[in-house]
Amino acid sequence: MKPITSRQLAARVLTEIGEGARANTALATALSKDGRALSVRDRAFVTELVQGTTRMRRAVDHAMGPYIQRKLDEDVRSALRMGVHQLLHLGTPPHAAVNDTVDVAPRRARGLVNAVLRKVAQSDAVWPSGAVQFSYPDWIWNLFVGAWGEEGRESLIAMNTPERPEPRADGYVQGQASQWVVEVIDAAGDNGGQFIDLCAAPGGKTTALGARWSPVFANEVDPARARVLREVVQKYRPATQVVVSDGSESPFRNDCADAVLVDAPCSGLGALGRRSDARWQISEQAIKRLVGIQATLLDEAFRLLRPGGVLTYSVCTVTPEETVQVPLEFDVRHENAEIIPVTQPPWREHHQGGLVLPHDHGTDGMAVFQWRRRQ
Ligand SMILES: C[S@@+](CC[C@H](N)C(=O)[O-])C[C@H]1O[C@@H](n2cnc3c(N)ncnc32)[C@H](O)[C@@H]1O
């Protein structure tokens, strides 16, 4: 049997994603099985084809839409999308994008794939809106542009070429914005002390915090994610204790912690570059549910803090609900929580906390808020 090519593998993964698989999971599985024999360069190409085509799906579908008159089978649609992505966004020479895609398309549809790709290659796409051109659902586009105007647009464009984080000094690969959150926490904790990370998996922040704080308790609700957390902690910070519990009803005592972090489950709209299918999955309705969870986790975190202790709330998103409403309502509920403003660069002032937009430094977008429990 002939070994699989990068385009064949990418087309197969895209079909799986079209049928409902998660992009990162389907890609990782394919690369670790059939993609094992590919060179490093070819594996990177498979990754670009899969992630890029998934991310740019709306733009791609718009460009090929006028030339498709019938409903397509998923495998045909995936091959076409992959070809159009190469034509529109990768600068692949048209003859290569067309011929190499036709080669991997299902035999029964090669004529169609050839004809559609040639038409796309010969025409200039006309974009009805920025949301279509840069491939976002309208509601996400409107949210960013409505809040930040031109900067919001730049942020969205920046998330189409996501950060490729360098490994930390200890080898763990952690996004830069996530490391900045750790710096904010370390700066507020004078002498270190007992730390509780209520939402810890996969363990990026927890393992970094272990450099200064001790003991560290890393809590996670999801048993599968807690298994990953355990492995990460074992490798990078073995003294950290992993706890599996719902952080809104945690087993920790009142007033026991010098510092608590709620790196909360969130809509992830600042980290849309990291998961190429995230923008197609998150809904506006989900934000309402997340806001409730974030509020409950913050209240629980505050119960655990000793007087003088520091609470940090961070989210890799930028929605007003999660980054304005949640901290403001927390203030109203907790008179003995004193705001610690986050003003130092790279953070821009955002209400009472700090915010990094994705285009500011080419990182994830992130928001961070801090309080000290009054003595
Ligand atoms: C943004 S991630 C945390 C990332 C982590 N702090 C890091 O830096 O690697 C949020 C985590 O919270 C977990 N989570 C969600 N709801 C939770 C709850 N009620 N209690 C504890 N953890 C929860 C999720 O499973 C997820 O692993």
Side-chain angles (χ1 to χ4, degrees):
M1 229 170 66
K2 276 211 235 155
I4 197 160
T5 67
S6 17
R7 281 188 174 84
Q8 275 171 334
L9 189 60
R12 207 183 69 199
V13 178
L14 284 166
T15 304
E16 288 170 19
I17 297 168
E19 288 166 348
R22 288 289 174 112
N24 284 357
T25 314
L27 178 63
T29 307
L31 287 175
S32 68
K33 290 186 179 157
D34 292 345
R36 246 194 350 233
L38 294 174
S39 68
V40 172
R41 207 162 143 243
D42 282 348
R43 290 161 65 87
F45 186 48
V46 174
T47 302
E48 169 48 50
L49 287 176
V50 170
Q51 303 286 32
T53 304
T54 304
R55 193 177 290 127
M56 300 311 290
R57 198 164 84 189
R58 189 172 185 194
V60 162
D61 285 355
H62 175 79
M64 69 188 195
Y67 314 114
I68 296 169
Q69 317 303 340
R70 59 183 165 91
K71 192 172 177 322
L72 299 174
D73 292 338
E74 197 53 56
D75 53 355
V76 177
R77 188 162 70 147
S78 296
L80 268 172
R81 281 176 166 168
M82 189 176 84
V84 175
H85 172 56
Q86 290 170 77
L87 287 168
L88 289 184
H89 305 119
L90 298 188
T92 311
H95 65 274
V98 175
N99 296 342
D100 295 348
T101 306
V102 169
D103 281 349
V104 302
R107 208 165 277 283
R108 64 183 189 287
R110 288 190 177 167
L112 171 82
V113 170
N114 186 40
V116 172
L117 290 182
R118 279 181 194 284
K119 293 240 173 66
V120 173
Q122 283 157 12
S123 55
D124 286 329
V126 178
W127 304 111
S129 68
V132 175
Q133 180 177 5
F134 296 105
S135 198
Y136 283 94
D138 288 332
W139 74 272
I140 295 182
W141 184 269
N142 294 339
L143 190 148
F144 274 78
V145 176
W148 290 285
E150 181 54 29
E151 288 206 286
R153 187 184 141 87
E154 285 177 37
S155 279
L156 290 157
I157 295 171
M159 284 192 285
N160 283 342
T161 34
E163 175 190 22
R164 296 218 161 84
E166 292 291 320
R168 290 188 318 220
D170 64 0
Y172 185 87
V173 179
Q174 182 183 25
Q176 182 61 63
S178 182
Q179 296 184 39
W180 288 330
V181 171
V182 173
E183 285 172 18
V184 169
I185 297 169
D186 283 349
D190 314 320
N191 304 310
Q194 174 155 321
F195 197 99
I196 298 175
D197 182 351
L198 268 191
C199 305
K205 296 185 189 68
T206 273
T207 50
L209 287 160
R212 170 156 190 157
W213 301 84
S214 175
V216 174
F217 294 89
N219 182 74
E220 168 61 44
V221 71
D222 180 326
R225 290 178 66 84
R227 275 197 293 281
V228 175
L229 173 65
R230 241 186 218 110
E231 282 167 23
V232 168
V233 158
Q234 193 58 41
K235 182 163 178 194
Y236 296 95
R237 199 66 69 182
T240 295
Q241 298 188 42
V242 173
V243 178
V244 184
S245 84
D246 181 341
S248 58
E249 296 175 330
S250 75
F252 305 106
R253 278 185 297 106
N254 287 355
D255 309 350
C256 68
D258 295 285
V260 183
L261 168 63
V262 177
D263 188 34
C266 72
S267 59
L269 294 195
L272 293 175
R274 230 190 301 153
R275 273 186 44 219
S276 58
D277 49 358
R279 67 188 69 183
W280 311 122
Q281 285 165 353
I282 182 80
S283 70
E284 274 180 289
Q285 289 71 32
I287 295 173
K288 289 200 177 61
R289 184 183 57 82
L290 288 162
V291 161
I293 297 171
Q294 291 157 358
T296 315
L297 286 166
L298 278 176
D299 289 347
E300 174 70 357
F302 201 61
R303 174 184 77 76
L304 310 178
L305 267 191
R306 68 160 173 81
V310 172
L311 168 62
T312 305
Y313 166 65
S314 57
V315 277
C316 57
T317 193
V318 297
T319 67
E321 290 91 338
E322 296 163 283
T323 72
V324 182
Q325 178 192 332
V326 167
L328 273 179
E329 290 181 356
F330 176 82
D331 286 336
V332 173
R333 290 195 302 277
H334 298 277
E335 273 181 1
N336 56 343
E338 183 188 345
I339 294 167
I340 308 177
V342 180
T343 49
Q344 64 277 27
W347 302 97
R348 45 166 91 202
E349 230 174 293
H350 182 64
H351 300 268
Q352 67 198 58
L355 177 77
V356 167
L357 286 175
H359 75 291
D360 284 343
H361 306 279
T363 66
D364 283 349
M366 189 78 74
V368 65
F369 300 83
Q370 256 185 346
W371 298 265
R372 191 179 296 280
R373 181 172 161 190
R374 288 186 220 278
Q375 297 284 352

